[in-house]
Amino acid sequence: PEDFARNIEEKGMLAESKKSYRSLDTEASGLVILIRSLLNPYDEISNLDTEKALVSLKRLNVVQTEMKALSVKIKNLESEFAE
């Protein structure tokens, strides 16, 4: 009974982790598009909104770090089910 409950809990954690990863991946894609538009190489340098780009880039870095951690967690959980 304890193993069954733990198994259900781990499957829930795996599903939640995958959902969070997909959500972060979507956010990251949007941030990349935004950053590229803010740093348009054809615009005058003085007209670039570097403050917005910097805020977006910092958020992208946080999202990427979270995605890397989730990826490891997902792989670890999946390997437990493969045993």
Side-chain angles (χ1 to χ4, degrees):
E2 286 180 27
D3 286 343
F4 179 76
R6 195 176 123 238
N7 195 350
I8 294 294
E9 184 179 328
E10 287 176 351
K11 284 185 179 180
M13 288 185 345
L14 177 60
E16 187 60 38
S17 295
K18 285 182 174 183
K19 181 181 174 188
S20 295
Y21 186 91
R22 285 191 302 272
S23 177
L24 289 169
D25 188 53
T26 300
E27 181 181 357
S29 296
L31 286 166
V32 168
I33 291 167
L34 175 62
I35 293 164
R36 285 182 179 161
S37 71
L38 291 169
L39 299 178
N40 185 339
Y42 302 106
D43 286 347
E44 288 290 321
I45 297 296
S46 59
N47 293 336
L48 295 176
D49 193 345
T50 56
E51 193 173 321
K52 274 187 188 172
L54 182 60
V55 168
S56 298
L57 196 53
K58 285 180 180 179
R59 177 61 189 154
L60 180 59
N61 184 255
V62 169
V63 169
Q64 182 191 43
T65 302
E66 290 176 20
M67 288 176 71
K68 287 178 180 179
L70 276 171
S71 182
V72 169
K73 182 178 179 179
I74 289 167
K75 285 179 184 165
N76 289 341
L77 285 168
E78 285 178 339
S79 70
E80 285 184 33
F81 293 121
E83 294 173 357

